[in-house]
Amino acid sequence: MKNKVEVFSLGVGGPKLEKRIKFIANKVLLFLKKDRHSLEVYLIDRRRMRLINNRFRGENVSTNVLSFEAVSSKVFFEVKRAKQAGIKELGEVYLCPSCISRRGEELEKLLIHGILHLFHYQHDEKNDTIKMERLEVKIYVELGID
């Protein structure tokens, strides 16, 4: 069985962007050799991102990307779904397209960054940052992202 990626646009994006996000997320999971994993990606506006960032990180500002592992996630925008047997729930990635474009960043790269956090990649320590950045670059090359 393959991975399950769900994309939810909450007032931003649209079908074309949702399709692109789903495609990239599936390619990242394939690159990481992950099978039978479930991932949710939310495209949200700056106001919603600020609310989430404030609630879970204590920072009352909008940001570009946030990731929440399934085991620790409180599901800010809950969408009821039946759980599937044998599927590992990774968690949720929240992307704010307006914050991303305002900063001159790339949505695809931040999606990849958010997914890697769900697999416990971090950038708190120098060695962890180097390891995460190297993997991100490998994924960019594999997916043809500049």
Side-chain angles (χ1 to χ4, degrees):
M1 180 171 178
K2 61 186 211 172
N3 296 303
K4 181 178 180 183
V5 176
E6 295 181 277
V7 181
F8 303 98
S9 287
L10 301 176
V12 298
K16 187 176 180 180
L17 182 57
E18 290 174 21
K19 186 176 179 179
R20 175 82 176 142
I21 295 292
K22 192 172 192 173
F23 174 80
I24 291 169
N26 274 306
K27 289 289 189 182
V28 171
L29 295 173
L30 184 64
F31 178 86
L32 296 173
K33 296 180 176 33
K34 301 299 178 183
D35 189 33
R36 301 182 60 83
H37 285 71
S38 172
L39 168 68
E40 297 172 12
V41 180
Y42 292 85
L43 301 171
I44 60 176
D45 60 26
R46 288 194 342 244
R47 183 186 63 78
R48 286 184 172 122
M49 184 61 94
R50 183 180 50 77
L51 290 171
I52 295 171
N53 202 18
N54 189 31
R55 180 173 176 187
F56 293 102
R57 297 180 65 225
E59 296 183 24
N60 194 25
V61 295
S62 294
T63 191
N64 48 11
V65 61
L66 290 172
S67 299
F68 298 97
E69 292 180 51
V71 294
S72 64
S73 176
K74 309 226 190 236
V75 189
F76 198 82
F77 299 107
E78 188 169 357
V79 179
K80 296 286 186 189
R81 287 169 303 287
K83 294 191 180 220
Q84 293 180 317
I87 300 288
K88 177 174 175 42
E89 290 188 38
L90 290 173
E92 305 156 356
V93 174
Y94 292 85
L95 296 166
C96 180
S98 64
C99 288
I100 293 167
S101 67
R102 177 182 275 186
R103 294 178 180 188
E105 298 169 323
E106 297 178 50
L107 189 85
E108 292 87 352
K109 289 183 177 181
L110 289 164
L111 172 63
I112 293 164
H113 186 85
I115 292 171
L116 291 181
H117 275 304
L118 297 178
F119 287 103
H120 308 285
Y121 287 91
Q122 297 298 324
H123 43 79
D124 297 329
E125 302 292 329
K126 186 176 181 178
N127 288 341
D128 295 333
T129 301
I130 292 168
K131 188 171 16 173
M132 186 173 186
E133 288 175 353
R134 283 182 180 159
L135 182 55
E136 286 174 333
V137 169
K138 286 180 184 177
I139 294 170
Y140 302 159
V141 169
E142 179 71 21
L143 299 181
I145 297 172
D146 295 329

